[in-house]
């Protein structure tokens, strides 16, 4: 196999340039006595070896118990394998609960929609389509009556006493049979989280196989349950994404404007902030304070949400959240839930920035709390925008430095949008529109070798963004199309890889496809809940090709992951039949048995036809992914 390296023909922004900008911002931070994650990493290193290996148990108060050669069992007698597997399941349950609760909030928002209200149905066709899938009558129904009925039905998915998740019907038959046979079909979403906590309570499961099976099931209840509800009903509420141009990196902040940064995950908040920032009354107020206008930009997954529906610029990803404050030009950072550094509180106090928390789920010291809910959404969004605008006069010009780094990006490739793009290139062999068949044709013929779904966060254990960017460059140079979401997507955007111009970095086959279909080689599919879109795409590719999901030359990758949600995601991606490659260890190396179950040939692979590879060397991680894709091609005889 001849693995190519990327020929740099377009001007990408390099990680070195990101770092130089960060260093300059940290100088400002030092002047005002600000703390930074870079410093806190130093304070926390080296990390606890027991924690890193997953061999510390503090599930009851007899311990904490730590496993060593001299003390091979905890006080209750649990061995290292049981302890590691229990910790792994608890990690998964945390992630599944978090994503799914986000989905639940979206369902509640859907329940509150009304004609002319704060929230309305923007994609009625999608709502009807899902209703059809769920066997709910749509004929002659008022769209808001249907929205309320669907919201209630979706909310029941969280706690229904019997049956499995409704969205499982989207999976190919073969996948569903595997889930059934393995005993991992997810039932009610809350039940899987709850059962995971029960199984890991003192005196319950210590059998690794049972704990890993439940990890897959809890993951599936997220990916094919809670996250899928979050994605699908966000589309119904705020519109299904379609390709839209935007810009990315810290240079999207504007020196002469009021900068409001939205950060977190739930579009119910950010959509309202975007709306009220366009209010002529607010713009006039900004001008009266000496600003040229109001500039909204995003961080983390909220950035993905507002970019793909409104073209709002993306200031940065997870490890850049402190940087937006360090520019000295951030009037307010407005957050909802997940991935928000508590550090933003004390940091904002070193500048004029208002740190505004809005959810009872994410309360933090040193913040202004404005409780945001569906009933008061408009009123409170206006209050938040006003607070930011009025804060413009408090800016200290001597502290303002906005790095001049900005790249063009095209974002918003939902499954629906991808199919629409593919319709443009339907050829004589493929005469059906609205399918993935043209993509399958390209893979089948070898014009594209395969696909990588790259997702996840940043993690200081990996030089930030390097793994994402280097992997993407090498993959596209080898004619492998990349689909991205979450903070991986923003790494791509910041570097310039979501620009259509990035086709010049591709191998010949992928470049031709990008030209024909008019797409970038790295396709933005949304935020971290939107990895459910990738599952739907994989399921559709399987149905359209006749290949099982595990046979498709497709792998998943999270090279810089850090959160519990990422572990839940990994479990549902693997359980869906997609081999998954991690660049950070999931605290399991303390148990050979658990490692073998997750990464070996006879654990999860026997149940769901896919497994994990953990490889901390990024070069090797890339080569292993390419090798796996090529092996799948050989197995298919293509
Ligand atoms: S925000 S979970 S750091 S992708 Fe979804 Fe980014 Fe990871 Fe949070």
């Amino acid at each position: 196999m001849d693995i190519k390296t990327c020929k740099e023909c377009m001007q990408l922004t390099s990680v070195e340039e990101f770092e130089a900008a960060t260093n300059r911002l940290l100088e400002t931070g030092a002047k005002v006595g600000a703390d930074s994650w870079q410093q806190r990493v130093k304070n926390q290193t080296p990390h606890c070896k027991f924690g890193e290996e997953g061999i510390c148990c503090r599930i009851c108060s007899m311990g904490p118990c730590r496993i060593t050669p001299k003390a091979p069992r905890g006080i209750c007698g649990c061995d290292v394998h049981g302890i590691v597997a229990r910790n792994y399941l608890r990690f998964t349950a945390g992630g599944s609960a978090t994503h799914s609760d986000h989905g639940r909030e979206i369902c509640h928002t859907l329940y509150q929609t009304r004609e002319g209200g704060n929230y309305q149905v923007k994609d009625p066709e999608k709502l009807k389509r899902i209703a059809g899938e769920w066997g709910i009558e749509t004929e002659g129904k008022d769209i808001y009556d249907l929205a309320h009925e669907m919201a209630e039905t979706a909310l029941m998915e969280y706690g229904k006493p019997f049956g499995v998740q409704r969205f499982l019907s989207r999976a190919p038959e073969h996948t569903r049979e595997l889930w059934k046979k393995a005993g991992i079909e997810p039932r009610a979403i809350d039940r899987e989280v709850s059962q995971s906590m029960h199984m890991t309570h003192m005196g319950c499961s210590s059998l690794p196989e049972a704990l890993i099976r439940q990890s897959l099931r809890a993951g599936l209840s997220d990916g094919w349950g809670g996250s899928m509800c979050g994605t699908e009903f966000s589309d119904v509420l705020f519109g299904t994404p379609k390709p839209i141009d935007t810009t990315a990196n810290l240079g999207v902040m504007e020196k002469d404007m009021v900068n409001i940064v939205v950060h977190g995950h739930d579009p119910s908040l950010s959509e309202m902030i975007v709306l009220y920032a366009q209010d002529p009354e607010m713009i006039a107020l900004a001008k009266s304070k000496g600003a040229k206008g109001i500039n909204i930009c995003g961080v983390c997954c909220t950035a993905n949400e507002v970019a793909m529906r409104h073209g709002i610029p993306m200031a940065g990803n997870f490890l850049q959240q402190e940087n937006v404050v360090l520019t000295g030009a951030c009037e307010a950072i407005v957050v909802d839930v997940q991935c928000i550094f508590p550090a933003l509180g004390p940091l904002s106090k070193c500048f004029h920035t208002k740190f505004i928390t809005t959810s009872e789920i994410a309360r933090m010291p040193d913040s202004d709390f404005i409780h945001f809910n569906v009933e008061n959404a408009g009123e409170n969004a206006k209050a938040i925008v006003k607070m930011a605008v009025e804060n413009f006069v408090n800016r200290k010009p001597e502290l303002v430095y906005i790095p001049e780094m900005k790249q063009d990006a095209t974002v918003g490739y939902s499954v629906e949008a991808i199919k629409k793009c593919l319709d443009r290139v339907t050829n004589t062999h493929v005469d059906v529109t609205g399918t993935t068949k043209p993509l399958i044709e390209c893979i089948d013929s070898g014009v594209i070798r395969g696909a990588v779904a790259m997702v996840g966060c940043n993690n200081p254990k990996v030089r930030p963004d390097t793994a994402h960017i280097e992997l993407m460059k090498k993959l596209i140079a080898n004619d492998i199309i990349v689909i991205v979401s979450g903070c991986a997507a923003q790494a791509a955007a910041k570097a310039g890889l979501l620009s259509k111009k990035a086709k010049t970095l591709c191998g010949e086959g992928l470049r031709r496809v990008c030209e024909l279909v008019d797409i970038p080689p790295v396709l933005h599919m949304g935020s971290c809940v939107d990895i459910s879109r990738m599952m739907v795409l994989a399921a559709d590719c399987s149905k359209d090709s006749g290949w099982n999901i595990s046979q498709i030359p497709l792998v998943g990758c999270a090279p810089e992951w850090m959160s519990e949600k990422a572990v839940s995601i990994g479990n549902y991606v693997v359980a869906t039949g997609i081999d998954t490659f991690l660049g950070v260890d999931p605290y399991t190396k303390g148990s050979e048995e658990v490692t073998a179950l997750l990464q070996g040939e006879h654990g999860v692979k026997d149940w769901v036809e896919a497994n994990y590879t953990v490889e901390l060397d990024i070069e090797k991680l890339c080569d292993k992914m390419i090798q796996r894709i090529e092996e799948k091609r050989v197995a298919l005889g293509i």
Side-chain angles (χ1 to χ4, degrees):
M1 183 182 39
D2 177 26
I3 295 179
K4 298 175 203 112
T5 50
C6 167
K7 287 189 215 80
E8 301 240 355
C9 317
M10 72 165 283
Q11 198 53 49
L12 292 178
T13 309
S14 68
V15 171
E16 286 72 21
E17 286 170 288
F18 296 176
E19 287 170 346
T22 298
N23 290 339
R24 170 64 184 77
L25 291 168
L26 289 172
E27 282 171 25
T28 315
K31 272 189 220 158
V32 295
D35 190 13
S36 67
W37 67 258
Q38 289 84 348
Q39 184 53 47
R40 295 190 298 274
V41 168
K42 283 185 193 147
N43 298 346
Q44 287 293 338
T45 311
H47 299 288
C48 164
K49 182 179 159 295
F50 296 100
E52 274 197 327
E53 296 194 354
I55 58 175
C56 172
C57 182
R58 48 177 295 280
I59 280 170
C60 78
S61 73
M62 294 193 289
C65 293
R66 299 180 307 179
I67 301 303
T68 64
K70 264 169 66 189
R73 288 181 184 266
I75 292 171
C76 70
C78 190
D79 66 12
V80 72
H81 311 296
I83 288 175
V84 170
R86 285 200 306 219
N87 287 338
Y88 185 79
L89 176 53
R90 284 212 164 187
F91 219 91
T92 307
S96 180
T98 304
H99 259 161
S100 298
D101 208 36
H102 168 169
R104 184 192 335 251
E105 290 292 321
I106 295 293
C107 295
H108 276 292
T109 305
L110 183 67
Y111 189 76
Q112 304 273 354
T113 51
R114 62 182 168 79
E115 188 77 62
N118 280 329
Y119 296 98
Q120 299 177 33
V121 171
K122 287 245 177 74
D123 191 342
E125 289 316 309
K126 183 153 188 171
L127 179 66
K128 287 185 204 158
R129 184 151 46 86
I130 304 168
E133 285 179 39
W134 285 8
I136 289 173
E137 188 55 69
T138 58
E139 203 55 41
K141 252 180 217 167
D142 173 80
I143 199 67
Y144 286 95
D145 288 342
L146 180 63
H148 303 155
E149 188 178 345
M150 287 296 289
E152 208 170 333
T153 310
L155 286 165
M156 292 303 286
E157 290 298 283
Y158 285 78
K160 64 185 183 185
F162 307 110
V164 297
Q165 284 299 297
R166 287 172 181 267
F167 277 131
L168 300 196
S169 62
R170 293 178 162 189
E173 216 178 300
H174 176 75
T175 310
R176 293 170 63 188
E177 272 166 21
L178 288 176
W179 290 341
K180 198 172 193 145
K181 209 164 138 224
I184 57 170
E185 287 173 298
R187 301 155 296 178
I189 299 160
D190 290 347
R191 181 176 184 183
E192 300 309 351
V193 173
S194 196
Q195 181 168 315
S196 302
M197 296 308 284
H198 189 174
M199 283 179 79
T200 52
H201 189 273
M202 192 272 145
C204 289
S205 287
S206 53
L207 186 70
E209 188 202 308
L211 292 158
I212 298 302
R213 237 178 244 277
Q214 180 60 19
S215 301
L216 297 190
R217 198 179 211 181
L220 284 170
S221 75
D222 166 3
W224 291 82
S227 272
M228 209 168 271
C229 284
T231 295
E232 297 298 82
F233 296 120
S234 288
D235 286 357
V236 169
L237 280 161
F238 308 117
T240 303
K242 35 186 192 262
I244 185 168
D245 291 335
T246 186
T247 47
N249 219 332
L250 286 168
V252 303
M253 296 183 72
E254 296 283 351
K255 199 167 175 215
D256 302 324
M257 294 174 94
V258 172
N259 288 298
I260 304 178
V261 177
V262 284
H263 173 15
H265 285 79
D266 186 342
S268 308
L269 168 73
S270 46
E271 285 281 327
M272 284 289 144
I273 302 289
V274 169
L275 185 72
Y276 280 93
Q278 291 161 8
D279 183 344
E281 191 193 323
M282 288 295 123
I283 294 170
L285 182 65
K287 289 188 174 158
S288 76
K289 301 285 172 195
K292 285 195 177 149
I294 303 171
N295 179 42
I296 304 281
C297 45
V299 163
C300 274
C301 279
T302 287
N304 290 313
E305 298 282 355
V306 288
M308 68 187 174
R309 295 201 177 90
H310 303 283
I312 298 289
M314 304 193 276
N317 48 359
F318 180 62
L319 283 181
Q320 225 167 327
Q321 58 185 287
E322 293 179 10
N323 284 10
V324 293
V325 178
L326 288 167
T327 62
C330 174
E331 273 56 56
I333 180 159
V334 188
V335 304
D336 49 64
V337 291
Q338 302 167 25
C339 305
I340 300 144
F341 273 174
L344 291 177
L347 178 63
S348 64
K349 297 281 173 250
C350 298
F351 292 85
H352 74 301
T353 306
K354 295 273 181 201
F355 175 43
I356 304 173
T357 49
T358 61
S359 167
E360 60 190 6
I361 293 166
R363 298 291 312 269
M364 295 191 190
D366 298 317
S367 70
D368 289 295
F369 180 61
I370 299 183
H371 191 201
F372 197 87
N373 56 39
V374 177
E375 296 84 43
N376 65 26
E379 196 187 309
N380 281 359
K382 197 168 176 181
I384 290 168
V385 173
K386 192 162 181 246
M387 190 189 263
V389 169
E390 286 175 342
N391 196 26
F392 184 75
V393 294
N394 297 321
R395 206 188 259 191
K396 296 187 183 85
E398 68 280 11
L399 294 181
V400 173
Y401 170 71
I402 301 174
E404 279 175 32
M405 281 190 310
K406 184 156 61 168
Q407 282 281 6
D408 293 332
T410 305
V411 299
Y413 290 92
S414 56
V415 176
E416 292 87 338
I418 290 174
K419 287 183 183 172
K420 209 159 189 184
C421 291
L422 291 172
D423 284 349
R424 281 188 223 137
V425 290
T426 303
N427 62 29
T428 46
H429 303 291
V430 186
D431 54 4
V432 193
T433 56
T435 78
T436 62
K437 285 189 178 176
L439 175 64
I440 303 295
E441 284 264 305
C442 290
I443 294 176
D444 189 80
S445 64
V447 174
I448 294 178
R449 306 299 295 172
V452 171
M454 198 174 300
V455 304
C457 330
N458 300 127
N459 186 326
K461 286 180 178 164
V462 179
R463 186 180 173 193
D465 294 328
T466 321
H468 289 135
I469 294 168
E470 292 309 315
L471 290 172
M472 287 179 206
K473 279 161 57 180
K474 194 160 169 182
L475 291 168
I476 62 175
N478 285 280
D479 290 320
I480 293 169
I481 193 162
V482 182
I483 52 176
V484 288
S485 76
C487 290
Q490 285 159 49
K494 288 190 297 174
L497 289 163
L498 297 188
S499 155
K500 288 180 186 170
K501 285 186 223 144
K503 64 177 179 250
T504 56
L505 307 171
C506 300
E508 205 183 311
L510 181 57
R511 185 171 61 237
R512 238 181 314 138
V513 172
C514 290
E515 272 160 9
L516 259 163
V517 190
D518 191 29
I519 51 169
V522 179
L523 291 180
H524 174 278
M525 290 193 82
S527 62
C528 46
V529 282
D530 292 335
I531 295 163
S532 64
R533 294 188 201 277
M534 297 176 176
M535 299 304 98
V536 174
L537 184 62
D540 288 356
C541 285
S542 166
K543 290 177 207 160
D544 290 341
S545 64
W547 301 327
N548 296 330
I549 292 181
S550 61
Q551 293 176 298
I552 302 172
L554 159 73
V555 300
C557 179
E560 302 185 27
W561 73 273
M562 64 83 204
S563 75
E564 289 173 320
K565 289 183 290 173
V567 176
S568 176
I569 293 165
N571 285 330
Y572 75 69
V573 174
V574 166
T576 300
I578 302 169
D579 289 322
T580 295
F581 292 72
L582 304 179
V584 177
D585 187 80
Y587 298 147
T588 52
K589 62 183 175 209
S591 162
E592 281 168 19
E593 211 176 301
V594 173
T595 302
L597 278 167
L598 294 172
Q599 300 181 42
E601 288 302 309
H602 296 296
V604 296
K605 185 138 196 180
D606 280 340
W607 314 335
V608 293
E609 301 176 345
N611 66 4
Y612 282 103
T613 298
V614 180
E615 174 56 70
L616 275 47
D617 180 318
I618 293 308
E619 273 287 313
K620 287 187 190 152
L621 186 75
C622 195
D623 293 348
K624 285 180 181 176
M625 284 196 284
I626 296 175
Q627 191 183 339
R628 188 70 54 90
I629 283 171
E630 292 298 330
E631 283 165 6
K632 284 176 188 276
R633 296 189 63 86
V634 171
L636 282 168
I638 59 173

